[in-house]
Amino acid sequence: MFYEILMTYLKAFLVGGAICTLAQLLINYTKLTSGKILVYFLLGGVVLQAFGLYDYLVDFAGAGATVPISGFGYLLANGAITGAKRGLFGAFTGGLGAASAGITAAIIFGYFNALIFRSRSKMN
């Protein structure tokens, strides 16, 4: 049992770490901005899920594949694919429905952080 738990954490760490390492290498060795890299990773998750490949990564690594931004692309694509079974409108709303809990949590926690902490620019 301990071995299974350890392997679950190790696989998540290795896959999540590989995704983050790839992003860091792109930041360090290309002229791509962080925003472009973020969009490319999100679209990469969408494209991999469109071909049914990201499911294998999620089954193998769990949170190591779903927590990075490529996992958000996977979630949107998976919701859209599932929603498309209900028709065209479902294809448009399925991705947002699948990601609504995470988006809502980000908004609520961002609001509470704005109440607690004082924002300032990096120049100060």
Side-chain angles (χ1 to χ4, degrees):
M1 177 153 157
F2 176 74
Y3 177 75
E4 291 175 15
I5 294 171
L6 181 67
M7 288 307 295
T8 300
Y9 282 109
L10 183 64
K11 289 188 286 187
F13 177 77
L14 290 175
V15 171
I19 292 170
C20 294
T21 300
L22 178 61
Q24 189 64 49
L25 289 171
L26 289 172
I27 289 170
N28 289 348
Y29 296 111
T30 67
K31 294 187 185 283
L32 293 172
T33 63
S34 298
K36 285 183 181 181
I37 294 169
L38 179 120
V39 170
Y40 291 150
F41 272 65
L42 185 121
L43 291 175
V46 169
V47 170
L48 287 174
Q49 180 56 22
F51 290 113
L53 300 174
Y54 210 89
D55 278 330
Y56 297 115
L57 193 60
V58 170
D59 289 341
F60 176 75
T66 58
V67 171
I69 193 68
S70 56
F72 184 66
Y74 153 77
L75 183 66
L76 289 173
N78 198 28
I81 292 168
T82 305
K85 295 174 183 171
R86 296 184 308 242
L88 183 61
F89 186 71
F92 286 112
T93 60
L96 294 176
S100 62
I103 294 169
T104 303
I107 291 169
I108 290 172
F109 288 124
Y111 175 73
F112 285 131
N113 278 324
L115 290 176
I116 295 169
F117 300 103
R118 187 175 57 129
S119 65
R120 56 190 165 94
S121 68
K122 288 185 175 185
M123 302 303 263
N124 292 337

